[in-house]
Amino acid sequence: PWPEAAWLAASEAVPEFPAGPLPKALAGYDEVVSGVLGTTGKAILDEGITGLMTFGVYPRYWGRWKSPELQCKGKEPPGDRWDDVFWCGTWTDYHNTTATAVLRAMRTGEVQWLDEIAFPGAVRTLHTQIMQCGPDEAWFYCGQSPAGYGGYRSDFNSSHAYFENLYLYYWLTGDSLVVDTLRQGGETMRRHMCETRGPAPVKGAQAQDGPGGPACAADHPLGKASFTGRVGGQWLAAFHFLGLASDDPSFLEDFKSGLARAVTLQYAELEKDGRRYGFLGGKVGNGPGGSAQAGPLWTNGFYDAENLYRLMVDTGDAPLGKPAVRPSQVLAAVARTLAGIDSGELAVADAKGGEKGTGQGEPGKKREKDAWPRLLDYRWEGPRVGGRLAGVTAKDRDLYGPEKAGTAALLVRAGRLTGDPGLLKAGEERTRAAIEASRGEAVPLGKLQGQYLNRLHAAVAGLAAGPIGPAKPAR
């Protein structure tokens, strides 16, 4: 038995995906998603990654270019060669790439993708990539996934918590090991982000007792924490999942508290030429007036906007933060910044002081229309929310095409919420670009397809459905 696509989509319990016929302009979506899944199945066999410790998740880059990350190339571990692929491959569910298989099954009823791709990926993440600990161990990373790559233990950078497919696996199977395993990691992480929750790390048995204090207020200092970017975004999503799936709903308080702190301490909304632009990330002073750094712009779209949209749906767009702002307001303002950079409406100086239209670090060179800087330095006068934008400067490298693809859902949602045709147009352009780029790469699931496809499903669904206006009241 399998529900109809429209029923699954209307539940709002799973990520957005298109549930009905698509307009001609988006017809390539189904072809691309089906092709990527088929290419993945073939590549698994061609590359021979069906081994006990490798089957389920995929290398970062593979299936083309002679699959360089499946070759050891001088970094061969000692001993026999038969397990080199395990030790040298870059194993992780990059940008939740396997979740595409679940959304394809939901849209089409092709449930074979659950058995062939989605569930093996979830089980491998759960039992191999997440750090396993005994009930009396209190290591900070117990129940977390800080590393990927060779032997699942290299690249220890704290940001491999690619769990979206794992959450979907839980909702479809009820495998309680998902909750039991993540509970300790989530308890330690929320205490790390908010010390009023109690000391960290916690032992496995202690994690079942819940927090030792209240969630942090919106203006509680950040300390070492950040609620934007990849790590912050991944763990806010984990708090949301644990608040729903575990027997401790207080994790939902941490989800909301974290986003309230983000829009209070890591966000500015500033006006220029009658339009409000949003800047998310870094640390923002209390002013009045000041300067800060926003971004990375791609994680604003891929991670931060996803959590804000989920909160908007859950709460009926209730305001949060100090001063209070609605999630939809933040989404629209951040989307205007991206669209403004793309169109040239928002003037961005290069890092050496050049004027609008110059490339970063190359005064006088015309910046390409699609050139988005990874970070933005910005200055303002007056209050942090509602003040005057005094200047914006490009910082760091420009975004790559796959990174920009992750902003498609943000742009489309903001366009639908506000009725702004400029935002909808920008979202449609980014959506079509992602479809064509994914088709052109012709690679299996991995880092590229995770970035191209993961937020594409919601963008296509939004474009097919049309404007929705303000968020609905909370249920």
Side-chain angles (χ1 to χ4, degrees), residues 412-430:
V412 171
R413 285 165 172 164
R416 295 181 69 211
L417 287 166
T418 62
D420 185 329
L423 293 180
L424 275 173
K425 180 182 178 183
E428 183 175 4
E429 289 176 352
R430 191 55 47 203

Side-chain angles (χ1 to χ4, degrees), residues 61 95 230 296-302 338 372-374 396-408 430 447-448 450-452 455:
Y61 302 117
H95 301 304
R230 183 159 47 171
L297 298 187
W298 77 270
T299 58
N300 287 164
F302 198 98
L338 297 177
W372 300 5
R374 179 174 173 270
D396 204 19
R397 62 170 174 82
D398 286 337
L399 294 186
Y400 303 122
E403 293 173 323
K404 289 182 285 189
T407 66
R430 191 55 47 203
K447 181 175 182 178
L448 292 179
Q451 290 177 310
Y452 283 133
R455 302 302 179 229

Side-chain angles (χ1 to χ4, degrees), residues 18-19 67 105 124 161 164 181-182 201 276 292 297 336 343 353 372 410 421 470:
S67 295
R124 176 60 60 235
E164 289 185 20
T181 302
L182 292 181
R276 283 205 174 188
L297 298 187
R336 280 190 210 102
S343 68
W372 300 5
L410 165 61

Side-chain angles (χ1 to χ4, degrees), residues 429-464:
E429 289 176 352
R430 191 55 47 203
T431 299
R432 290 185 181 181
I435 291 173
E436 291 309 310
S438 174
R439 190 203 313 273
E441 293 286 1
V443 291
L445 294 174
K447 181 175 182 178
L448 292 179
Q449 298 295 9
Q451 290 177 310
Y452 283 133
L453 299 181
N454 199 266
R455 302 302 179 229
L456 179 65
H457 311 294
V460 171
L463 289 170

